[in-house]
Amino acid sequence: MLTILFDGIAYGMLLFILAVGLSVTLGLMNFVNLAHGAFAMAGGYATVILMNGYGVPFLGSLPVSFLAAAAFGLVLERLLYRRMYQRSHLDQVLFSIGLVFMAVAATDFLMGSQQQIVRLPDWLRGRVEIAGVGIGAYRLFLVIVCGALVIVLQGILSRTRFGSQLRAAVDDTRVARGLGIPTGRIFAATFAIGSGLAGLGGALGAEILGLDPTFPLKFMLYFLIVVTVGGTATISGPFAAAILLGIADVAGKYYVPRLGAFIIYIFMLAVLILRPNGLFVRGGGR
Amino acid sequence: MRSATASAREKARQAVADATRWQTPELAFWAVAIAAIFLFPSRHLLLNEIAIVGLFALSIDLILGYAGIVSLGHAAFFGVGAYTAGLLAKAGIGEPVAGLAIAAAVAAAVGFATSFLVIRGSDLTRLMVTLSVALVFVEIANRFESITGGVDGLLGISMGPILGLFEFDFGGTTAYCYSLAVLFGMFLVARRLVRSPFGTSLRALKENRLRAGAIGIPTARRIVTIYTISASIAGVAGALLAQTTAFVSLEVLDFARSADGLLILVIGGSGYLYGGLLGAIAFALMRDALSSLTPAYWMFWMGAILVALVVVGRERVVAKFAAAVDRLRGSGS
């Protein structure tokens, strides 16, 4: 029972790391980016290539997966995404679906359509016993890493100069620009960090979520759920939503495997009907 | 005073009559569609597919181009129609037109039930709701394997002759004629609909829902109505596919199908009904050409086309096309 709860939390934390970038682009910049999973996939594949092709250890490949996805995100943002910020939602949807399709087909072409396997180091396999609860070592590792990241992110957003500039740029882009805040650069940096985090999540999650070319399509809805259910005004909302989703998904698959993914969809539909702006919205969410 | 209202009413009637008059390019389009039966006798299967995809795109155009609802899950209704028609045929009701009518009714019922989910919320909420409704249907079709055949698909569909008169043949000639007839029928319905006062009120609520509500248009009820109709038409398209190919697989509910529909509308332009049909033709031709170059990576090209179209600006492409049509019209009349 507690093991399931813990697995759920680990899964939820992973989802949060994957989706937090989206919660910034979607929630703060109001950009519907369905291609977010493509960056996660890029990070996952970067890890696979490094580990299997060059013998880089797992821990060493994680930062690279972050950097690879962030660089990928930065290039795309400067080249393409930037032009889309002011467009209608329909344009953004079509644009990002197009990117997803390109990413899926290109990955299939370059890497093949099979599942990729990330070999974890020995000390991350097996289980540990904490207060009588058996916990997978890798799950514990995930919770620690992701938990640390959440704290760092919250700190950056609320304490640093960059954080307050970002919040200002989001609240009112025109006024922020008038005050001399380089909004374009801020958005680009944010987009890159969000993509990098997704890449890191993809690398961390390859073991649990699996990694194949259809990854961006398979998990698109999960990311969107985290952001919409969590509301987009804060970082804690999506975090709570991700944990909730993780626990519900793991517990659902364990206790009522026949229902499978239904629980998630029904839960999300219910939330969207009752609270169209998300569960954890403070005041006027967008 | 009374005569003033009467003359206003007369004017409105005149405006509707003007809007519904058939234009030369429209007649030419349908003439070509019929002529295609004789012009391309070996390509009837492809033409049949174009007609079905065109009908599906038309159903999306009704909600996207006229009511401004972005849906990522219209394949749900296509799939419901396809499975209904397939299961009916398996259950012994092999008469296609009856199957079509029942499929339309079932898809309409599902559309009506889910339409209440798209009334509220922002664009994003709607995207999520439509997407997850479609996913729920994929899940259902996947779970109830004993009925739907699961991933293997629904096999062993045998269709009877249409109205007891026309047998389906291998070349797809009957199939194309049948699909074209249904497409034309549905098109007439849609055309009448969007050029009626009902259609005008839809466009008003697309432009500005708050104001539309303020001048007394019941916006929620309008959306429910058009969504139900659109779902029903999508169901007919799905049923046509099931009947003419005698096969239904999970693919009919696929996300890619919804995305295809949107892409077709982007190519053809939305909000004037012919966009879906012209887009379907362009889409099929591109698909044919690109798949023969790189069969497995058609998806890549589709993505590239989408990105390019949006980045260049679909309004610009459509505007250019509309200008060309206007020029044609100008020289025609």
Side-chain angles (χ1 to χ4, degrees), chain A residues 87 89 91 94 224 268 273, chain B residues 117 123 128 132 266 310 314:
Chain A
R87 298 288 192 83
H89 279 154
D91 275 353
L94 295 167
L224 287 171
M268 190 200 63
I273 294 162
Chain B
L117 302 174
D123 275 354
M128 304 273 309
S132 50
V266 172
V310 176
R314 63 197 167 87

Side-chain angles (χ1 to χ4, degrees), chain A residues 41 45 103-105 107-108 112-115 211-217:
Chain A
M41 184 169 72
Y45 273 97
V104 169
T107 313
D108 198 329
S113 60
Q114 74 279 17
Q115 278 277 345
L211 186 64
D212 64 42
T214 59
F215 183 90
L217 280 174

Side-chain angles (χ1 to χ4, degrees), chain B residues 148-160:
Chain B
T148 62
V151 278
D152 296 333
L154 199 60
L155 293 166
I157 299 172
S158 58
M159 296 310 303

